[in-house]
């Protein structure tokens, strides 16, 4: 194997975290901000790129980091290495409520495609890059979830899905249409595209996005019920406006109450 062979255990229900067990000199790489806790004896190091091309000189490192920059991610990742004897454990937490999905790349032909915000961590040696699309429409109109990353190698990787997770196994030629933000990832044999919803009423009054993802089997697709952008939008919509005091959800006063607040001046 090129990637380090790691053991793991996922804890929790709604707010999960994954605990990874490292043998001596084994390492795992993770996105910044996902670290939760680790045993004494694990060495933490910031690396350029994803660590998959560390033995290929400066150009290999630049290529690895450049792929990440194209997806809007940081040029750097964090590696956690068991630098001592015996087994050591390090844990990484979900960024918001949902499920952590373990992806064994060897069972998917060495490649898995996921949306750019889904990747959590992986065994060192797994390459994290951008999935280039041959169709211009995907890049221009795909919206959230269609700046896609590809995870390549023969190790374990972990991705995060918001809300409830659905795993769909598509038969050859079977088509699944999904909101672009609800796509977590899919296997390399799945053909994907972006399709216009269509219809004047749907476009103007539908309240949904203008495009959805069309995934055609054969292959496996992971779908999430709560994209982070949707969660953030709901929180932002409920935030108090203009610095006024919050009178509670569903208050009959609403904005009128702010006019009666003694702190306002005209």
């Amino acid at each position: 194997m090129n990637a380090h062979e790691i053991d793991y255990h996922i804890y929790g229900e709604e707010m999960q975290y994954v605990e990874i067990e490292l043998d001596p000199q084994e390492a795992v790489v993770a996105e910044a901000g996902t670290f939760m806790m680790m045993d004494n004896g694990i060495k933490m190091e910031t690396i350029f790129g994803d660590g998959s091309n560390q033995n290929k000189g400066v150009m290999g490192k630049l290529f690895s980091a450049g792929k990440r920059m194209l997806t809007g991610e940081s040029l750097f990742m964090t590696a956690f290495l068991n630098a001592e004897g015996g087994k050591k454990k390090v844990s990484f937490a979900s960024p918001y409520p949902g499920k952590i999905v373990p992806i064994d790349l060897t069972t998917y032909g060495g490649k898995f495609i996921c949306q750019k915000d889904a990747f959590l961590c992986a065994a060192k040696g797994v390459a994290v890059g951008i999935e280039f699309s041959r169709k211009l429409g995907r890049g221009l109109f795909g919206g959230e979830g269609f700046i896609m990353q590809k995870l390549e190698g023969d190790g374990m990787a972990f991705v995060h899905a918001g809300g409830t997770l659905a795993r769909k196994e598509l038969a050859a030629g079977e088509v699944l249409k999904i909101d672009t933000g609800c796509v977590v990832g899919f296997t390399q044999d799945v053909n994907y595209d972006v399709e216009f919803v269509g219809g004047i009423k749907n476009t103007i009054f539908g309240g949904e996005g203008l495009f959805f993802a069309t995934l055609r089997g054969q292959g496996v697709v992971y779908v999430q019920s709560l994209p982070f952008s949707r969660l953030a939008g709901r929180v932002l919509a409920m935030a108090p406006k203009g610095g006024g005091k919050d009178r509670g959800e569903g208050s009959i006063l609403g904005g009128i109450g702010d006019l009666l607040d003694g702190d306002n001046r005209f």
Side-chain angles (χ1 to χ4, degrees):
M1 293 183 66
N2 294 318
H4 293 191
E5 189 173 0
I6 59 175
D7 298 314
Y8 71 93
H9 193 281
I10 296 175
Y11 294 91
E13 294 297 331
E14 287 76 22
M15 290 294 293
Q16 293 187 327
Y17 72 93
V18 56
E19 180 185 77
I20 296 177
E21 185 179 80
L22 301 175
D23 292 329
Q25 300 307 309
E26 283 186 346
V28 61
V29 294
E31 291 284 9
T34 61
F35 169 70
M36 179 179 173
M37 60 182 174
M38 65 182 179
D39 291 341
N40 187 37
I42 292 181
K43 180 182 178 182
M44 185 172 64
E45 179 184 6
T46 299
I47 60 175
F48 198 52
D50 55 25
S52 61
N53 292 315
Q54 298 300 298
N55 60 343
K56 297 183 180 180
V58 176
M59 292 306 298
K61 295 179 181 179
L62 287 174
F63 181 72
S64 174
K67 291 186 297 182
R68 288 177 49 75
M69 185 175 65
L70 288 173
T71 64
E73 303 293 340
S74 170
L75 291 175
F76 300 92
M77 296 184 75
T78 306
F80 298 82
L81 171 69
N82 181 2
E84 296 186 358
K87 297 180 182 292
K88 303 291 182 181
K89 295 178 181 179
V90 58
S91 300
F92 304 94
S94 302
Y96 57 97
K99 300 294 182 183
I100 294 176
V101 187
I103 303 295
D104 185 352
L105 293 174
T106 58
T107 64
Y108 293 138
K111 181 179 177 181
F112 185 81
I113 301 168
C114 63
Q115 66 161 294
K116 74 181 187 72
D117 294 326
F119 174 70
L120 194 66
C121 61
K124 188 174 182 181
V126 171
V128 184
I130 187 172
E131 171 69 7
F132 289 100
S133 174
R134 295 180 181 178
K135 293 189 177 182
L136 183 62
R138 295 176 187 165
L140 293 179
F141 306 116
E144 55 172 328
F146 267 81
I147 302 176
M148 307 299 289
Q149 284 185 329
K150 59 181 177 181
L151 309 177
E152 294 181 295
D154 54 6
M156 290 295 305
F158 300 88
V159 297
H160 178 260
T164 300
L165 174 71
R167 184 182 187 274
K168 300 289 186 178
E169 293 190 21
L170 302 183
E174 183 179 359
V175 176
L176 184 65
K177 296 183 178 181
I178 313 173
D179 180 275
T180 54
C182 290
V183 177
V184 178
F186 44 87
T187 56
Q188 59 180 316
D189 294 330
V190 172
N191 181 38
Y192 71 101
D193 206 345
V194 176
E195 185 175 332
F196 181 57
V197 172
I200 298 297
K201 289 191 295 182
N202 289 336
T203 302
I204 299 177
F205 305 111
E208 303 293 340
L210 299 182
F211 302 89
F212 48 69
T214 301
L215 305 178
R216 185 182 302 272
Q218 189 174 3
V220 176
V221 179
Y222 288 94
V223 184
Q224 61 184 352
S225 66
L226 183 63
F228 178 73
S229 58
R230 188 177 297 177
L231 173 64
R234 293 294 180 91
V235 172
L236 183 62
M238 295 303 297
K241 304 297 189 298
K245 296 181 179 179
D246 184 14
R247 297 182 181 277
E249 182 179 356
S251 171
I252 193 171
L253 292 177
I256 299 176
D258 291 335
L259 297 178
L260 302 179
D261 194 324
D263 292 335
N264 286 288
R265 298 291 184 266
F266 294 92

